[in-house]
């Protein structure tokens, strides 16, 4: 029993250790392209961004870091993505198992679809999905880069592998200074990247549930249904919004053909969900598109996935709660199931604390920089949501602002799972209840 008393602390510590190891490797002269020692802040920022699969960078990954440095970064965001999926999945199983032995508690980590199988087999399945997805996408990208873009085989293989792993782990780190802008009209590059991003960001519990019950979708868990429905709505919203706000923008979609506009809008919608890649210059987007990105980045992807944010399931629960309240229903329901009161409270807690972190980070950056407010908000939400998109101000921020982003990246990546697990593990039944009263709301 006591061995799982503080699993959230283990997860948080594991990420810190990975960040420390990555920093020590990146600070070495061999990690920089010109062989000079790397400043500590640059190494720390890059290590945090990689392990937390965020994608924000203060230096150009392709030119600043050597081949060794780039390999270290790749390993870091592979560990960060795979470690997050494994930690979230296995932590949910441990919590669920402990609840069966102790009391009736429900976990927001939402891993019922995984059952109570052997922990080792679950980890192996996560590893298999990760490596298979990355291998397929890397192969497709390599062949396309070699035959359509005339890259030498060595460069094509490295670029394909790096971007495939980065995409699946929703890291958003590219070895190109312009991210994927040079491939904005190449569907055979962008579509595999989008698919890897969606698969990695949908959440392993959903993938496992769909795999087991592929022939009977009506038997999918409520978590799977909410995540898939919420993801579809958000992707459609982002796609339609980018087309609407950027269609005539001469700096983004304006000069493109209709087909390329549709492709770029679809990619932007997927990337805003914590992927971090871009084919459009973020700094040239309209204010309306920035505002749309605020929301998409804050929500993020699915629970127990490589994506960040407050998670699709959290927002779905809150939307259902609002709908139930508007209709005057005492129960919050969806797909013939009733949502437990604890899940509703946990969703509200995650949203409030996430909003508080974003607000606090925004205030700190406003205090320490003279950057316009809308760009600061974008940068802060990108850090918290581990998205990695930027309007181009990251490398020019002062030290206090960069340290703030480091804390936001770590809190946004590790905080959601540790918070969810802590809420479950800390839940207890009180031996008494106070008299009920209804304060005025609104």
């Amino acid at each position: 029993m006591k061995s799982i008393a503080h699993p959230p602390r283990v997860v948080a510590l594991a990420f810190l250790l990975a960040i420390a190891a990555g920093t020590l490797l990146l600070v070495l002269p061999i990690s920089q392209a010109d062989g000079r020692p790397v400043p500590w802040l640059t190494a720390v920022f890059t290590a945090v961004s990689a392990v937390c699969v965020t994608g924000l960078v203060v230096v150009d990954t392709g030119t600043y870091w050597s081949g060794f440095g780039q390999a270290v970064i790749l390993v870091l965001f592979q560990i960060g993505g795979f470690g997050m999926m494994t930690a979230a999945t296995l932590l949910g199983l441990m919590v669920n198992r402990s609840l069966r032995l102790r009391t009736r508690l429900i976990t927001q980590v939402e891993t019922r679809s995984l059952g109570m199988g052997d922990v080792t087999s679950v980890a192996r399945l996560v590893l298999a999905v990760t490596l298979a997805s990355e291998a397929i996408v890397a192969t497709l990208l390599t062949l396309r880069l070699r035959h359509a873009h005339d890259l030498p085989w060595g460069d094509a293989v490295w670029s394909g592998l790096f971007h495939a792993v980065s995409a699946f782990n929703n890291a958003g780190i590219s070895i190109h200074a312009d991210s994927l802008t040079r491939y904005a009209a190449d569907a055979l590059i962008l579509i595999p990247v989008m698919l890897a991003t969606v698969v990695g960001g949908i959440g392993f519990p959903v993938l496992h549930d769909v795999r087991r019950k592929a022939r009977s979708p009506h038997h999918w868990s409520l978590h799977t249904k909410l995540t898939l429905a919420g993801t579809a709505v958000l992707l459609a919203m982002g796609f339609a919004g980018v087309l609407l706000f950027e269609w005539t923008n001469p700096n983004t979609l304006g000069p493109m053909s209709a087909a390329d506009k549709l492709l770029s809008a679809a990619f932007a919608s997927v990337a805003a969900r914590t992927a971090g890649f871009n084919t459009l210059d973020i700094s040239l987007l309209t204010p309306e598109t920035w505002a749309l990105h605020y929301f998409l980045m804050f929500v993020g992807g699915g629970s127990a996935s490589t994506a960040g944010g407050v998670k699709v399931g959290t927002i779905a629960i809150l939307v259902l709660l609002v709908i139930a309240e508007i209709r005057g229903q005492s129960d919050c329901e969806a797909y013939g199931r009733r949502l437990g009161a604890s899940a509703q409270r946990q969703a509200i807690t995650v949203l409030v604390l996430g909003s508080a972190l974003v607000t606090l980070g925004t205030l700190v950056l406003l205090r320490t920089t003279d950057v316009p407010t809308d760009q600061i908000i974008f940068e802060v939400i990108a850090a918290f949501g581990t998205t990695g998109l930027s309007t181009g101000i990251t490398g020019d921020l002062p030290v206090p602002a960069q340290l703030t982003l480091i804390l936001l990246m770590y809190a946004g990546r590790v905080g959601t799972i540790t918070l969810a697990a802590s809420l479950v593990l800390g839940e207890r039944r009180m031996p008494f209840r106070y008299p009920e009263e209804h304060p005025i709301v609104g």
Side-chain angles (χ1 to χ4, degrees), residues 316-334 339 344:
I317 290 174
L318 294 173
V319 169
L320 292 173
L321 182 59
V322 171
I323 292 175
E325 191 64 28
I326 292 175
R327 292 177 174 177
Q329 298 175 336
S330 58
D331 291 330
C332 186
E333 304 169 347
L339 276 70
Q344 299 173 37

Side-chain angles (χ1 to χ4, degrees), residues 51-401:
V51 173
C52 297
V53 289
T54 303
L56 290 177
V57 293
V58 292
V59 293
D60 177 47
T61 304
T63 58
Y64 185 87
W65 301 104
S66 65
F68 175 81
Q70 293 177 23
V72 170
I73 293 171
L74 183 149
V75 171
L76 289 178
F77 59 64
Q78 177 70 87
I79 292 174
F82 173 69
M84 188 62 172
M85 291 178 71
T86 305
T89 301
L90 300 186
L91 182 56
L93 287 174
M94 287 190 294
V95 170
N96 200 11
R97 179 173 294 174
S98 68
L99 299 181
R100 287 192 171 190
L101 296 173
R102 295 183 185 177
T103 57
R104 183 182 56 84
L105 294 175
I106 301 176
T107 174
Q108 188 190 1
V109 184
E110 302 189 53
T111 51
R112 289 183 183 178
S113 60
L114 295 177
M116 293 306 301
D118 179 65
V119 171
T120 303
S121 65
V122 172
R124 288 175 179 170
L125 187 55
V126 176
L127 179 62
V129 171
T130 300
L131 296 184
S133 300
E134 292 173 352
I136 292 172
V137 175
T139 301
L140 294 175
L141 294 182
T142 297
L143 294 175
R144 183 62 177 174
L145 292 171
R146 176 68 184 94
H147 296 295
H149 297 274
D150 298 323
L151 265 66
W153 273 111
D155 293 342
V157 169
W158 176 242
S159 181
L161 176 63
F162 192 97
H163 290 100
V165 177
S166 184
F168 181 82
N169 289 289
N170 280 237
I173 299 178
S174 173
I175 56 177
H176 304 314
D178 61 353
S179 189
L180 299 182
T181 302
R182 64 187 66 186
Y183 307 122
D186 193 337
L188 295 182
I189 292 289
L190 299 188
I191 290 177
V193 171
M194 284 191 285
L195 292 176
T197 299
V198 172
V199 172
I202 203 72
F204 183 73
V206 174
L207 297 177
H208 189 278
D209 197 28
V210 171
R211 173 178 172 272
R212 287 196 311 156
K213 307 171 184 175
R215 297 183 179 180
S216 54
H218 58 284
H219 288 150
W220 288 347
S221 68
L222 180 58
H223 167 69
T224 296
K225 293 177 180 178
L226 290 179
T227 301
L228 291 177
T231 298
V233 169
L234 290 172
L235 290 176
M237 178 191 302
F239 175 69
V242 172
L243 283 180
L244 175 64
F245 301 137
E246 300 295 328
W247 187 270
T248 58
N249 185 346
N251 297 314
T252 54
L253 297 185
M256 296 183 181
S257 65
D260 289 344
K261 287 181 179 181
L262 295 176
L263 178 63
S264 291
F267 190 86
S269 178
V270 172
R273 305 279 315 293
T274 82
F277 293 119
N278 66 280
T279 58
L280 303 175
D281 190 333
I282 301 298
S283 65
L284 299 178
L285 296 175
T286 63
E288 294 86 352
T289 306
W290 277 7
L292 177 64
H293 275 65
Y294 296 163
F295 174 71
L296 295 177
M297 293 190 299
F298 185 74
V299 175
S303 300
S305 73
T306 62
V310 296
K311 300 297 188 293
V312 175
T314 300
I315 299 301
I317 290 174
L318 294 173
V319 169
L320 292 173
L321 182 59
V322 171
I323 292 175
E325 191 64 28
I326 292 175
R327 292 177 174 177
Q329 298 175 336
S330 58
D331 291 330
C332 186
E333 304 169 347
Y335 300 104
R337 292 291 184 271
R338 175 168 53 87
L339 276 70
S342 61
Q344 299 173 37
R345 293 196 305 269
Q346 291 159 15
I348 294 172
T349 302
V350 170
L351 178 68
V352 171
L353 293 182
S355 301
L357 282 174
V358 169
T359 302
L360 181 60
T362 300
L363 292 175
V364 172
L365 262 67
L366 285 173
R367 183 68 176 175
T368 56
T369 70
D370 56 359
V371 178
T373 303
D374 52 358
Q375 287 183 282
I376 285 179
I377 294 175
F378 195 104
E379 200 81 4
V380 168
I381 297 178
F384 170 77
T386 68
T387 305
L389 294 175
S390 174
T391 59
I393 66 173
T394 311
D396 299 324
L397 293 174
V399 173

